[in-house]
Amino acid sequence: DAEITQSPRHKITETGRQVTLACHQTWNHNNMFWYRQDLGHGLRLIHYSYGVQDTNKGEVSDGYSVSRSNTEDLPLTLESAASSQTSVYFCASSESRVGETQYFGPGTRLLVL
Amino acid sequence: QQQVKQSPQSLIVQKGGISIINCAYENTAFDYFPWYQQFPGKGPALLIAIRPDVSEKKEGRFTISFNKSAKQFSLHIMDSQPGDSATYFCAALVSGSARQLTFGSGTQLTVLP
């Protein structure tokens, strides 16, 4: 069965360190998204991609970057982790033509000390 | 700027009761309105969705009511069950162009046995 996976599921890091969160989907979807989830804010879009070599900034992109070298993966990098980036991160994907239903991964819980 | 406002933040309902969650949007270009359900430790998953050309959509115990003139939509869960206890997010999207979902802040539903 097609799926979307994230790793690691839990991560503790220190302020200032670079952190990369992995997202891998086997749906063969062109659209991929990264969100962060914080209490009271719902899901906020960090970055998104509509295909290989395409990346776009979302609502809360400062301090984050992504790269898309193939269809299956969209890693999220925190350049210099800050305590404000402690959150739960979700990756999602959707079909390119319709693009309405997004399929979410299980999430990565990140703690920045 | 929060384009989709969701209320209440939390909701406690007795088993068999009706759960009602409300959302209001600002952007009149939105033309697809999904609801996502999220269980603890899991990613959100599509529950039900509606387009503005209909005023109501029902799937089992779940119903979306849509009021285009008021720019409001709501989720009704009939005969609520303890297994419905989860966080519910409303969302909105402009089909075709951006394919980006704008989420509400979420409602934590607890159904008491």
Side-chain angles (χ1 to χ4, degrees), chain A residues 34-38 41-47 58-60 84 87 90, chain B residues 101 103:
Chain A
W34 272 105
Y35 296 89
R36 60 178 290 174
Q37 184 176 16
D38 304 287
H41 291 279
L43 291 146
R44 292 182 291 176
L45 184 64
I46 305 172
H47 280 285
E59 175 189 0
V60 290
S84 60
S87 187
F90 288 98
Chain B
L101 281 168
F103 284 89

Side-chain angles (χ1 to χ4, degrees), chain B residues 71-88:
Chain B
K71 293 187 288 185
Q72 295 176 347
F73 59 110
S74 59
L75 176 69
H76 296 237
I77 305 175
M78 310 300 288
D79 187 26
S80 299
Q81 299 296 311
D84 297 331
S85 296
T87 300
Y88 293 81

Side-chain angles (χ1 to χ4, degrees), chain A residues 3-4 25 27 29-36 43-50 74 90-96 98-105, chain B residues 32 34-37 43-49 91-96 98-103:
Chain A
E3 61 177 356
I4 181 165
Q25 53 98 2
W27 294 94
H29 287 162
N30 280 334
N31 304 335
M32 295 186 73
F33 308 85
W34 272 105
Y35 296 89
R36 60 178 290 174
L43 291 146
R44 292 182 291 176
L45 184 64
I46 305 172
H47 280 285
Y48 58 99
S49 169
Y50 290 151
L74 186 69
F90 288 98
C91 179
S93 70
S94 68
E95 291 184 82
S96 60
V98 179
E100 294 170 340
T101 301
Q102 292 190 12
Y103 298 88
F104 283 80
Chain B
Y32 178 73
W35 285 88
Y36 280 76
Q37 180 187 54
L46 179 66
L47 179 64
I48 186 173
L93 175 147
V94 178
S95 294
R99 287 163 283 180
Q100 301 166 45
L101 281 168
T102 299
F103 284 89

Side-chain angles (χ1 to χ4, degrees), chain A residues 61-82:
Chain A
S61 61
D62 287 349
Y64 303 94
S65 64
V66 294
S67 62
R68 188 88 180 270
S69 59
N70 58 54
T71 300
E72 296 79 17
D73 299 288
L74 186 69
L76 177 70
T77 297
L78 287 67
E79 304 294 344
S80 177

Side-chain angles (χ1 to χ4, degrees), chain B residues 49-57 64-68:
Chain B
I50 196 169
R51 296 187 187 279
D53 53 345
V54 296
S55 60
E56 186 176 282
K57 183 174 182 179
I64 300 178
S65 297
F66 187 85
N67 186 329
K68 188 174 181 179

Side-chain angles (χ1 to χ4, degrees), chain B residues 15-35:
Chain B
K15 178 182 176 181
I18 302 173
S19 303
I20 302 174
I21 304 171
N22 301 299
C23 285
Y25 64 97
E26 300 170 5
N27 186 351
T28 55
F30 288 144
D31 57 2
Y32 178 73
F33 301 88
W35 285 88

